[in-house]
Amino acid sequence: MKYLLIILAAAAAFAAHLGDADGSAWLQQGAQWLRQAEAAAPAPSAVHFQARIIAVPDGDSVRATDSHGQRHKIRLAYIDAPELQQAHGMAARDALRRLIDGQQVEVAVLDTDQYGREVAQIRLHGRDINLAQIEEGHAWHYVSIAKRRQDKADFAAYSRAEAGARSSRFGLWRAQSPQAPWAYRKAQSAEQVQ
C-alpha cells in the first residue's frame, strides 16, 4: 500500500506539472483514500507456533525448537531483565529457567530485533511468562518500547504487575535502588568508549 501511495503522489505531481487540474485532483483524492484505508487496516497479527524451550541464557531471552526442528532465538517482548553481570541477573535467569526450561510453550512472535532474535510473548498453559517475570520481580516493564507497540490492556497489566512487585519488594525490588538494565548497558558502553 505504501508503494501505491508513492505512485499516486508522483502521478499527482506530474499531472499538476502538466497543468491537468482534474487529473491532479483525482490522483490526490485516490492517495487520500489509500491513506485512510491503510490507517483503518488492522495491525499485522503475530506469528504463533509451539516450541520446546531448550535454553534460558538470561532473564528475558530463550532458545527454543519448534515442531519442525527449527531453532529459534527469542527475546521476551516488553520486558527487560537485569543483565547477568548485574545484581539479580542470575536470579532472573534462574527464575525463568524454573518456569519454562524444557517446557512446551506457545510463542507469539511480534517482531525481530536488531540481533535477529524473534521478539515474542511466551505462554505456558495460558500463562503469560513475560508478565510472570515482572510479577515476580525479575524484570522491568520495558515502557520505552511498550508504549509505542504493546496492546493497551497488556500495557496496563504489565504496568500494574511492576507496581505490585515494587510495593511488595519482590525479587530485584528488595534492593534499595536497583539499576535498570538499560542504564547498566549505557554505563557499560560509556566505559568501553573511555
Side-chain angles (χ1 to χ4, degrees), residues 74-151:
I74 301 168
R75 169 72 164 81
L76 278 63
Y78 309 126
I79 73 169
D80 202 1
E83 299 296 329
L84 288 177
Q85 304 80 9
Q86 278 187 267
H88 203 77
M90 289 188 192
R93 177 203 59 200
D94 295 346
L96 186 57
R97 280 183 179 166
R98 284 191 298 276
L99 281 173
I100 61 174
D101 197 23
Q103 297 291 319
Q104 188 77 18
V105 298
E106 181 181 336
V107 179
V109 178
L110 307 171
D111 201 356
T112 303
D113 73 8
Q114 62 189 8
Y115 306 107
R117 298 176 298 185
E118 294 166 301
V119 178
Q121 189 173 37
I122 295 179
R123 292 188 180 275
L124 174 64
H125 309 301
R127 183 180 186 196
D128 182 343
I129 298 302
N130 307 35
L131 178 60
Q133 281 291 88
I134 297 173
E135 288 171 332
E136 296 174 10
H138 301 303
W140 276 259
H141 184 200
Y142 209 165
V143 174
S144 64
I145 292 174
K147 69 183 173 187
R148 295 186 311 250
R149 299 181 183 171
Q150 191 174 23
D151 169 84

Side-chain angles (χ1 to χ4, degrees), residues 5 10 29-30 32 34 46 56 64 69 77 87 112 118 125 128 132 142-143 146 149 153 162 173-174 179 182 186-187:
L5 284 172
Q29 181 63 48
Q32 182 179 353
L34 274 174
V56 181
T112 303
E118 294 166 301
H125 309 301
D128 182 343
Y142 209 165
V143 174
R149 299 181 183 171
E162 183 177 312
W173 302 111
R174 287 186 194 118
Q179 184 181 31
W182 53 86
K186 185 176 181 179

Side-chain angles (χ1 to χ4, degrees), residues 1 5 26 28-38:
M1 195 167 303
L5 284 172
W26 181 84
Q28 288 173 350
Q29 181 63 48
Q32 182 179 353
W33 288 333
L34 274 174
R35 281 191 295 277
Q36 289 170 347
E38 186 176 44

Side-chain angles (χ1 to χ4, degrees), residues 65-80:
T65 303
D66 66 23
S67 58
H68 304 292
Q70 184 176 351
R71 291 180 178 244
H72 300 265
K73 289 182 179 179
I74 301 168
R75 169 72 164 81
L76 278 63
Y78 309 126
I79 73 169
D80 202 1

